[in-house]
Structures are given as C-alpha cells and as structure tokens.
C-alpha cells in the first residue's frame, strides 16, 4: 500500500510534455528518493483500467487493437509496475496522462476508485492557463493536425469550460486532495514548470542528479498557421472518415519548425469567443481563486497578401512531406531486407 498517489492530468498546453519527459528520464533518481514514476513517459494505460471506457488510448488506438486486448495489457502493466515499485519501498507514486482531463466522469471515477485500492490518499494535480490562451492552444492544435475549426462555431468553444471539469474532479476527490496551479511563467517557481511541479509534489528541491528534459510541445507561428490552413484546404486530414493517404503524418512536426510571429488566431474568432473567455475567467476566480488578467486581444499581423503565394507554399510543403515519408519508408524496408538476409545466412551457417 502506497502512502499517496499523485495523478497529474494536465490541462493541455501547460508543460505536460516537459514534465513527463523529465520524470520518465529520472525514474531511477526518484526511486532512490522513495518516489515512483511507472515506466512509460505518459501513462495511457490508466484508461484501460476503466471498464466503462469505450475508447482506446495509446498504441492500440491506431492499429485496430481490440479493446479487450488493450485492457488486458493495461492491467498487466499496472500490476507489474505497482508490484515492482512497492518491492523497492516506494511510498509516493506519480502518474501523468493529460487526456484524463477530458475523460468522462464515470471513466475518471472508475480510475480513481481503482487507484484507491493501492494508496491511502489520491491527489490530483492540474495546471490551468488563462482561458484565452487555453482556447488559442486548442485552436492551433486542431489546425496543426488537419482541422479547419472556423467552419464549426460550436467547436470554437473548446477549452472554455475548464471550470466545469475542475468542479467534476473536485467532486471525486474533494478540495483537500486537489492541487491547482496557474500556468504562468511569472508565477511558476523559478519560471520553470518542472521546478513548480516538484514543489507541488512536496520536494524542497529536486535531487542534485535530476536531469531536466528540454522536450517541448512546440506551437505554430502565425506564418506556419497560415500555411497549415492552406494545406488543410488542399489536403484534408480525413477522407471518407479515414486518414487521407495523400497527407503526410509528419506535417505537424514540420510546421512547428517554421519560425515567425507568435501565434494569434483570426480576429473574427477572437471576437466571437471573447464573452465566453471573460465568463470562464470570472468562474475560475470565483470558484477556485485563480485570478487571470482581463482579456486584451492581441493584434494579428498581415501575412501573405497574395493568396496564390500562400497556396504555392502549401502545395510545395505538402508534396515534399509526402515524398520524404515515402523515401523513409523505402529506406526502412531496405534495412529490414538486409537484416533478414543476414539472419538467413547466419542460420544456414
């Protein structure tokens, strides 16, 4: 039985990737200090502990793995890791999986109930951004991954109801077992989310041999955003409900490598959600004491005055990304063929 299990649930775009990368890379350091971070950088296996969950997260999500197989693998992982860490004398356990922030109440309740069998106390840690930045982050992620959110007004509201999610989480664990932190570089300890997360866990200071990860979930620049939307119009991410084979899966990473002006959504969309942003800001302050500044809509620079220029750039990038992936796949197949020939020759000898 562990003393405490800390469950880190995000929210999105609050340094989760850096936290997970750092704590996963330092599992041995943490274990020597009496803390456990189970194997795997992000703990998608928690979703498999909920029998009421109908959706597959993790490696099985894209390869057609049956839900029963996925759940069985998750159960095996959970039993193995908790047994291993308990044998090491670990008393504090840390799990981190950002999609839990968007999990339905029955699923999250079932996961928490399962964790309660292993620990005397369950504490949920959550970082919150300014509602405008939260919404803008969701907006650009959708565009980066092939969507055109401006076409559906209802989807523009995504990320502006975090207060309701926090109320649901609080009802499951109680206010004394919930740690809320503002994700703001001016309020984070040392301006660093990893130091701040360690302080939330109760560390006076991280161990001297703790190695921080610099891995980050990069944002789009305004220039990259304009190119991404042009690509999405030309080569949609989905075709007949399936992934479009004419679109390279590496496009998001390629787009984040384009430097430029910090991302600002289209002004018409900012104006449409401004009242919702202010309402959510007031709820977060009144209900949870998270005081964010009033919204001051940033100005969006004028880019690519000629539409044909933008379309040409989008076409070149989309075509080249597909070609790069084709060449990489051909290279990988050639490597496997050489390896198989070597294995056959070695077996024959």
């Amino acid at each position: 039985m562990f003393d405490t299990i800390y469950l880190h649930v995000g929210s999105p775009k609050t340094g989760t990737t850096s936290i997970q990368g750092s704590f996963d890379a330092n599992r041995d350091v943490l274990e020597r200090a009496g803390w456990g971070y189970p194997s795997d950088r992000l703990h998608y296996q928690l979703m498999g502990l909920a029998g009421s969950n109908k959706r597959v997260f993790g490696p099985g999500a894209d390869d057609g793995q049956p839900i029963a197989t996925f759940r069985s693998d998750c159960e095996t992982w959970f039993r193995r890791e908790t047994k291993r860490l308990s044998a090491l004398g670990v008393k504090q356990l840390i799990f981190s999986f950002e999609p839990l922030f968007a999990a339905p109440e029955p699923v999250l309740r079932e996961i928490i109930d399962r964790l309660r069998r292993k620990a005397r106390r369950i504490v949920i840690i959550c970082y919150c951004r300014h509602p405008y930045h939260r919404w803008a982050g969701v907006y650009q992620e959708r565009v980066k991954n092939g969507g055109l959110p401006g076409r559906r007004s209802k989807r523009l509201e995504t990320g502006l109801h975090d207060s309701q999610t926090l109320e649901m989480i609080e009802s499951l664990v109680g206010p004394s077992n919930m740690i809320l932190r503002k994700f703001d570089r001016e309020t984070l300890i040392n301006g660093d989310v990893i130091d701040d997360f360690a302080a939330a866990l109760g560390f006076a200071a991280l161990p001297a041999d703790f190695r921080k990860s610099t891995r980050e979930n990069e944002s789009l620049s305004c220039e990259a955003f304009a190119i991404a939307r042009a690509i999405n119009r030309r080569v949609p991410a989905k075709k007949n409900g399936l992934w479009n084979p004419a679109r390279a899966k590496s496009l998001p990473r390629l787009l984040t490598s384009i430097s430029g002006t910090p991302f600002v959504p289209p002004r018409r969309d900012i104006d449409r959600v401004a009242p919702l942003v202010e309402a959510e800001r007031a709820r977060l302050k009144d209900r949870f004491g998270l005081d964010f500044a009033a919204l001051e809509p940033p100005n969006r620079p004028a880019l690519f005055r000629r539409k044909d220029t933008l379309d040409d750039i989008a076409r070149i990038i989309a075509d080249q990304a597909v070609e790069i992936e084709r060449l990489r796949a051909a290279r990988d197949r050639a490597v496997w063929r050489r390896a198989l020939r070597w294995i056959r020759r070695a077996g024959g000898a």
Side-chain angles (χ1 to χ4, degrees):
M1 179 71 75
F2 300 99
D3 289 342
T4 308
I5 289 179
Y6 292 91
L7 184 58
H8 173 228
V9 297
S11 60
K13 296 302 233 178
T14 56
T16 302
T17 307
S18 294
I19 290 171
Q20 292 169 341
S22 294
F23 278 74
D24 179 54
N26 290 275
R27 290 203 306 268
D28 54 341
V29 176
L30 293 167
E31 288 165 9
R32 289 196 294 270
W35 290 75
Y37 190 88
S39 64
D40 276 328
R41 183 178 62 82
L42 66 164
H43 302 126
Y44 66 86
Q45 295 92 340
L46 293 174
M47 300 303 294
L49 303 182
S52 59
N53 183 31
K54 305 299 183 187
R55 184 178 175 188
V56 175
F57 289 79
D62 297 322
D63 62 11
Q65 182 187 37
I67 188 70
T69 303
F70 174 75
R71 286 196 181 123
S72 175
D73 292 345
C74 292
E75 288 281 355
T76 301
W77 172 87
F78 183 71
R79 288 194 297 268
R80 184 189 71 233
E81 286 301 301
T82 52
K83 183 177 180 179
R84 179 182 69 83
L85 291 167
S86 180
L88 292 174
V90 165
K91 295 298 181 183
Q92 320 288 337
L93 210 55
I94 307 163
F95 289 98
S96 180
F97 189 50
E98 188 177 280
L100 288 175
F101 189 78
E105 190 268 349
V107 172
L108 190 57
R109 179 188 296 277
E110 201 167 348
I111 292 170
I112 291 172
D113 288 345
R114 184 64 186 278
L115 295 178
R116 282 190 174 123
R117 302 180 199 171
K118 294 290 184 179
R120 297 178 179 87
R121 184 186 180 206
I122 307 297
V123 176
I124 290 187
I125 301 178
C126 182
Y127 281 86
C128 294
R129 300 187 77 188
H130 190 294
Y132 163 75
H133 295 298
R134 170 82 166 91
W135 165 78
V138 173
Y139 189 106
Q140 67 141 313
E141 279 296 308
R142 186 162 290 139
V143 171
K144 186 168 71 173
N145 290 291
L148 291 167
R151 291 183 175 180
R152 300 179 182 177
S153 58
K154 289 185 178 179
R155 299 188 73 176
L156 283 174
E157 299 180 13
T158 303
L160 294 177
H161 302 293
D162 285 357
S163 57
Q164 296 177 14
T165 301
L166 295 174
E167 287 176 348
M168 180 268 287
I169 293 173
E170 186 182 71
S171 71
L172 295 177
V173 297
S176 61
N177 293 319
M178 194 171 171
I179 300 175
L180 293 181
R181 314 280 278 202
K182 281 177 64 176
F183 186 77
D184 186 333
R185 297 296 178 184
E186 295 181 359
T187 59
L188 294 175
I189 292 176
N190 300 327
D192 184 88
V193 70
I194 298 169
D195 287 341
D196 197 89
F197 183 72
L201 293 171
F203 282 89
L206 286 168
D209 51 350
F210 190 96
R211 305 175 305 280
K212 291 183 182 179
S213 169
T214 57
R215 183 175 182 175
E216 294 182 359
N217 201 353
E218 296 290 343
S219 298
L220 295 179
S221 63
C222 275
E223 291 81 357
F225 175 82
I227 294 170
R229 294 199 71 169
I231 291 174
N232 296 347
R233 287 191 293 268
R234 180 182 177 82
V235 192
K238 295 292 181 70
K239 191 173 183 179
N240 299 324
L242 301 173
W243 182 264
N244 187 349
R247 183 184 175 95
K249 293 186 177 182
S250 60
L251 269 174
R253 183 177 293 275
L254 190 152
L255 290 165
T256 56
S257 67
I258 300 174
S259 59
T261 312
F263 172 72
V264 179
R267 185 56 184 257
R268 65 179 183 278
D269 291 336
I270 295 177
D271 291 341
R272 288 167 67 183
V273 301
L276 299 173
V277 167
E278 286 303 298
E280 177 68 359
R281 188 179 71 86
R283 285 194 295 268
L284 289 171
K285 181 179 180 180
D286 296 341
R287 184 68 177 77
F288 299 101
L290 297 172
D291 191 7
F292 294 100
L295 174 62
E296 295 182 5
N299 292 320
R300 193 164 184 259
L303 303 169
F304 303 110
R305 297 183 184 276
R306 291 185 53 176
K307 186 177 182 299
D308 56 345
T309 300
L310 179 59
D311 289 341
D312 285 345
I313 294 172
R315 175 180 54 79
I316 292 168
I317 290 177
D319 291 349
Q320 289 301 310
V322 170
E323 179 64 12
I324 289 170
E325 289 196 353
R326 186 190 67 78
L327 292 173
R328 285 176 176 168
R331 179 198 63 190
D332 293 343
R333 287 194 297 270
V335 169
W336 275 108
R337 283 196 294 269
R338 286 197 296 270
L340 287 172
R341 284 199 297 269
W342 182 86
I343 291 170
R344 291 191 186 108
R345 286 198 299 268

